[in-house]
Amino acid sequence: MDTRPPRTAPDAGPTGHLTLAGGPDAVATLDVKRSKFLAVVRRVDSEAAARELIAEQRRAHRDARHHCSAFVLGARGETTRTNDDGEPSGTAGGPMLDVLVGAGLSDVCAVVVRWFGGTLLGAGGLVRAYGDAVSLALQTAPLVRREPRSLWRIRLAHADAGRVEGLLRSKGAQVIDTEYGADVALVVATEADDVEAVVAAATSGAGTAEPAGRTWVDVPVPDAQTR
């Protein structure tokens, strides 16, 4: 297990970081001198989730010789771990982590399963194979940017709800929750600092908007993918 100090991913920090969009794992296979490498990369939100992916791949591929892994977590990429799982030290988990960090990703875990093909690859060959397997999996993986937003709880008359929601969306707000009762309660995440004024103007003062803390949201990265 890697004991090096945490490493900070490029373009990461309190203003946001890249990660995988939710959905199916990013998967790729690579054959090198009859050894087969299966790379699986998943978005994770905790060390426990990362370790579950590693355990899952061990259960699924008990016949493989190695199940190497790397993960990076946190808005600044402050938590990183690698495991060479029996490969020569520094030839598997480290190169995998380098690919994740080099791509500017955080909150992701990569596992590369290797079936030995009978030919030794040498240290350099292993470094290239494990790194290339992760890079290949990421080539078509959809990305999002995780960014902090202010939360607002907004109460509106039913007649105003659709119009105000559309207005807020046009300003980049994301609607996190909607509740219908005697009135409509929206929870929105936004960068805007004029939410109260917008709601008041749109409803002639009848609607209300109150700060409700902070959260992280996924912002699509158009046509973005790692290379």
Side-chain angles (χ1 to χ4, degrees):
M1 190 67 69
D2 185 22
T3 57
R4 292 174 292 177
R7 302 159 63 179
T8 300
D11 199 32
T15 58
H17 59 276
L18 290 175
T19 190
L20 299 187
D25 298 335
V27 178
T29 58
L30 181 68
D31 293 308
V32 182
K33 295 182 179 179
R34 294 185 296 180
S35 278
K36 178 181 176 181
F37 296 83
L38 169 66
V40 180
V41 186
R42 178 180 298 175
R43 176 171 168 173
V44 294
D45 59 7
S46 66
E47 189 163 339
R51 296 194 183 283
E52 175 53 33
L53 173 60
I54 298 166
E56 177 184 300
Q57 292 304 305
R58 287 186 183 278
R59 292 192 298 268
H61 306 292
R62 298 181 186 275
D63 59 329
R65 180 172 292 189
H66 305 284
H67 305 78
C68 304
S69 59
F71 59 84
V72 54
L73 301 169
R76 298 179 178 84
E78 56 266 32
T79 300
T80 62
R81 298 286 187 272
T82 67
N83 191 337
D84 294 316
D85 194 37
E87 296 283 27
S89 179
T91 63
M96 294 164 59
L97 180 64
D98 288 341
V99 172
L100 299 178
V101 173
L105 298 174
S106 191
D107 294 337
V108 290
C109 177
V111 179
V112 175
V113 181
R114 181 193 180 193
W115 290 265
F116 182 55
T119 301
L120 296 175
L121 303 184
L126 289 172
V127 168
R128 287 189 295 273
Y130 279 100
D132 287 350
V134 175
S135 293
L136 189 61
L138 292 176
Q139 280 186 359
T140 57
L143 303 181
V144 294
R145 185 171 179 83
R146 293 283 284 167
E147 295 185 355
R149 293 285 189 271
S150 294
L151 282 174
W152 290 82
R153 187 175 298 278
I154 299 167
R155 291 195 173 276
L156 305 161
H158 285 265
D160 294 329
R163 179 166 46 83
V164 173
E165 180 177 333
L167 179 61
L168 292 171
R169 287 186 185 275
S170 73
K171 293 177 173 290
Q174 292 190 28
V175 177
I176 305 300
D177 190 29
T178 304
E179 294 180 2
Y180 295 94
D183 55 13
V184 179
L186 302 178
V187 177
V188 302
T190 180
E191 290 181 296
D193 56 7
D194 61 347
V195 175
E196 289 178 283
V198 168
V199 171
T203 63
S204 300
T208 62
E210 298 180 350
R214 300 278 287 175
T215 192
W216 290 86
V217 299
D218 288 353
V219 179
V221 181
D223 301 321
Q225 58 186 35
T226 53
R227 301 293 182 182

